[in-house]
Amino acid sequence: MNPRAGVLFAAGALLAGTVTALPASASPAPQTPTTTPADDPTTRPAAPVIWKSCGSTRYPRLECGMLKVPLDHADPKSRTISLALSRVPHTAKTSQGPLLVNPGGPGGSGLGMAGFVAASLPPKLAAQYDVIGFDPRGVGRSEPALNCRPGHFEPVRHASVPLDAATESAALERARGFAEACGTKYGALLRHIDTVSAAQDLDAIRRALGAERVNYFGYSYGTYLGAVYARLYPERVRRFVLDSMVDPKGVWYRGNLAQDFAFDTRHKAFMAWVAEHDAAYGLGTDPAAVEAAWYRMRDELRSVPAGDKVGPAELEDTYLPGGYYNGYWPQLAEAFAAYVNEKDTAPLIGAYEDLGASDASDDNGYSVYASVQCRDAAWPRDWRVWRADNWLAHAKAPFSTWNNAWYNAPCAFWPVEPRTPVDVTNAEVPPMLLFQATDDAATPYEGGVSLHRAVGGSRLVVEEGGGNHAVTLGGNTCLDAHLVRYLESGTVPRAAEGSGEADAVCPALPGPQPAPAKKAAKSRAVPAPAPATGGAALHRLLGHRH
């Protein structure tokens, strides 16, 4: 959806340098001409990156640099653009090469990922890699950085659910206006903001780093970017970690509809958690009744937005992060309870400002998100198709279906024709390590299975009962043990016979607990954000709607 998501080992034996084959039932489809690089990239000259210190108190060894790449990789002599890079250099005597890291999106800034990943891995392991973060084309400090229509998400927007023709018409014009603004402002540039171009940029980074092969660690949309890279450059793949997989068969219209059901299920899990902790929140012990109270809150905000900031659309924006990470549940539950029980809107406004409000970086991220998703694959151009599909989904999944529909609606009017999606089926790469939570809403479990089946030799580690999106380096020691072993030596788990799709299974972390009573009293007018440690630090870095 959007740019803004004990140790149970199986014995490990395969090394990432081994080439494995797909099962006989899954042969690779021929690559479409639109996704084949124009020439052998190894023949192009590589200008090295000039690194300069840009360290912070938290990441003192961080370095930054810029890399020029062709806007159109099929025409290396065309206009160039610049990619912003960050690096934590290796310190071990023997290096395992560059480890490129990506936080998802599309549209997510990756500069901060290098420091986080280097600091989160065991020091001895991190010392073996040059951990490389980057802002993909169009994002953040890369040049040019897109911002189609500043302030597109300023409150208060029209309610998401189009209960009348006037609301639907206004929302449609808003989506059409965004698409037209992108076309007017960026013109032909939009033809080159897509996943294939971003994957070609990854190979340009590899060449600039002087690496024969590349290691890669991607979350969410970063899993699709990694899979596309591996299809285009299989001989350049060394060790690839993909966490929370995009279903390559759902790119992108059907994938977003699938998310609507998954986020609704996750929202119901949150409502059940609130009911379980009735002593803290006083909203009752019946999950259905608690959920009904949430929808009454949304209906009331349609008439009277909280603080002239939080209407129904902003409320959905505020509670959507809870579908990505349950560490936000206590803060969201307090805001919910304060509104229902005390008619106090201050905690709700505070939660919106902390978790749901957009700024200039979000405007940039959304501009790239729309540009990539609308260009990557065909979307329906007939709004009647969208209307029918989203009302059907809303009937079963009313939490965020229409919010998500309007988020993606510019693709119905996009000024650039779509590409043909890359078939990521792959039998030519070393074993990849895949991680997936069973109850992930942003990238539902079926997508992890789909990518696992498509990439021959891949290994799938499942967090059983986990509902968070992006699960490694978030505090689950079982998952992280698999990650560390793979990055150390290329060792992947070998599935036990009869274990199903999973090659290894880890139990989910315990759920969150309500804030202490002394923090949940009247002083909650400004609710405290989740502490920036463990999973909270990861999710603050990744953002939501990735």
Side-chain angles (χ1 to χ4, degrees):
M1 186 180 275
N2 328 346
R4 242 312 277 150
V7 182
L8 298 177
F9 302 101
L14 291 177
L15 295 181
T18 305
V19 178
T20 59
L22 280 170
S25 60
S27 59
Q31 186 60 54
T32 58
T34 56
T35 57
T36 302
D39 59 292
D40 182 354
T42 61
T43 65
R44 302 180 199 164
V49 179
I50 298 175
W51 298 102
K52 297 181 180 180
S53 175
C54 60
S56 63
T57 301
R58 190 166 191 177
Y59 306 126
R61 295 179 51 243
L62 197 66
E63 299 172 345
C64 294
M66 300 292 288
L67 175 66
K68 289 188 180 297
V69 298
L71 174 63
D72 181 358
H73 283 275
D75 181 8
K77 296 181 180 180
S78 66
R79 168 188 172 185
T80 60
I81 59 175
S82 297
L83 304 178
L85 310 179
S86 61
R87 176 178 78 164
V88 178
H90 76 277
T91 55
K93 290 183 178 179
T94 301
S95 170
Q96 298 209 45
L99 174 63
L100 275 62
V101 294
N102 180 272
S109 170
L111 291 182
M113 284 293 293
F116 173 81
V117 170
S120 300
L121 293 174
K124 185 177 179 181
L125 174 60
Q128 299 171 27
Y129 285 95
D130 292 314
V131 185
I132 308 293
F134 60 96
D135 279 352
R137 55 174 54 203
V139 175
R141 295 186 185 176
S142 291
E143 299 171 354
L146 274 59
N147 192 340
C148 295
R149 188 159 69 174
H152 184 70
F153 289 97
E154 286 183 358
V156 173
R157 309 195 306 273
H158 293 283
S160 298
V161 182
L163 297 178
D164 53 67
T167 299
E168 181 179 25
S169 178
L172 268 178
E173 286 308 306
R174 178 173 175 271
R176 188 196 311 271
F178 184 86
E180 291 176 349
C182 287
T184 299
K185 200 167 183 179
Y186 297 110
L189 180 67
L190 296 182
R191 294 181 58 82
H192 306 288
I193 306 296
D194 59 85
T195 300
V196 169
S197 297
Q200 293 168 331
D201 288 344
L202 292 187
D203 204 60
I205 295 172
R206 176 195 63 78
R207 297 195 311 273
L209 297 175
E212 185 71 18
R213 294 189 294 163
V214 71
N215 307 285
Y216 179 83
F217 184 0
Y219 291 97
S220 194
Y221 164 76
T223 66
Y224 182 64
L225 175 59
V228 170
Y229 178 87
R231 176 65 192 213
L232 298 181
Y233 305 100
E235 73 284 1
R236 300 304 178 191
V237 170
R238 187 171 182 265
R239 292 178 191 155
F240 268 45
V241 178
L242 307 182
D243 183 331
S244 304
M245 270 73 70
V246 167
D247 187 344
K249 296 185 297 185
V251 175
W252 289 108
Y253 181 72
R254 289 294 164 188
N256 273 277
L257 286 170
Q259 282 184 324
D260 297 335
F261 295 97
F263 271 105
D264 194 83
T265 298
R266 195 65 186 148
H267 187 65
K268 283 180 169 60
F270 171 47
M271 296 293 101
W273 182 86
V274 173
E276 180 185 349
H277 295 287
D278 177 58
Y281 302 116
L283 290 167
T285 59
D286 179 4
V290 174
E291 186 178 20
W294 192 90
Y295 284 110
R296 285 195 300 272
M297 175 173 66
R298 186 170 75 170
D299 290 342
E300 291 171 8
L301 293 170
R302 191 180 187 109
S303 301
V304 184
D308 291 325
K309 287 186 176 181
V310 186
E314 291 75 27
L315 182 75
E316 293 150 3
D317 293 347
T318 302
Y319 280 78
L320 187 65
Y324 285 91
Y325 175 57
N326 62 11
Y328 297 135
W329 286 5
Q331 180 185 3
L332 294 171
E334 287 189 21
F336 178 21
Y339 181 93
V340 172
N341 295 332
E342 303 169 25
K343 305 304 178 186
D344 182 1
T345 62
L348 185 61
I349 295 167
Y352 164 71
E353 291 174 342
D354 183 35
L355 298 174
S358 295
D359 57 19
S361 67
D362 298 313
D363 289 342
N364 166 243
Y366 178 63
S367 296
V368 177
Y369 169 89
S371 299
V372 171
Q373 295 227 340
C374 300
R375 173 67 169 143
D376 266 2
W379 294 69
R381 288 285 179 163
D382 185 344
W383 183 252
R384 291 173 296 183
V385 175
W386 291 67
R387 182 189 292 122
D389 285 344
N390 282 281
W391 275 121
L392 283 173
H394 175 83
K396 295 182 178 180
F399 167 56
S400 63
T401 291
W402 275 106
N403 186 298
N404 194 30
W406 298 123
Y407 199 88
N408 291 285
C411 292
F413 311 103
W414 203 244
V416 177
E417 72 280 4
R419 301 186 69 135
T420 299
V422 175
D423 178 357
V424 301
T425 304
N426 206 326
E428 303 176 44
V429 290
M432 295 184 181
L433 189 59
L434 316 181
F435 291 90
Q436 184 69 47
T438 55
D439 300 330
D440 181 2
T443 51
Y445 179 76
E446 293 76 13
V449 172
S450 178
L451 188 60
H452 178 38
R453 291 174 177 173
V455 180
S458 64
R459 295 293 185 266
L460 177 62
V461 180
V462 171
E463 186 183 46
E464 184 67 40
N468 289 339
H469 179 65
V471 292
T472 54
L473 301 184
N476 189 317
T477 56
C478 174
L479 296 174
D480 289 350
H482 287 287
L483 171 68
V484 168
R485 278 204 306 276
Y486 178 70
L487 291 178
E488 281 178 340
S489 63
T491 303
V492 294
R494 189 190 300 277
E497 187 173 349
S499 61
E501 296 289 351
D503 297 295
V505 177
C506 291
L509 295 173
Q513 292 298 312
K518 64 181 180 180
K519 293 184 180 180
K522 286 287 185 178
S523 63
R524 66 185 174 194
V526 181
T533 58
L538 173 63
H539 282 270
R540 292 283 174 177
L541 181 65
L542 299 183
H544 320 304
R545 300 188 120 146
H546 39 278

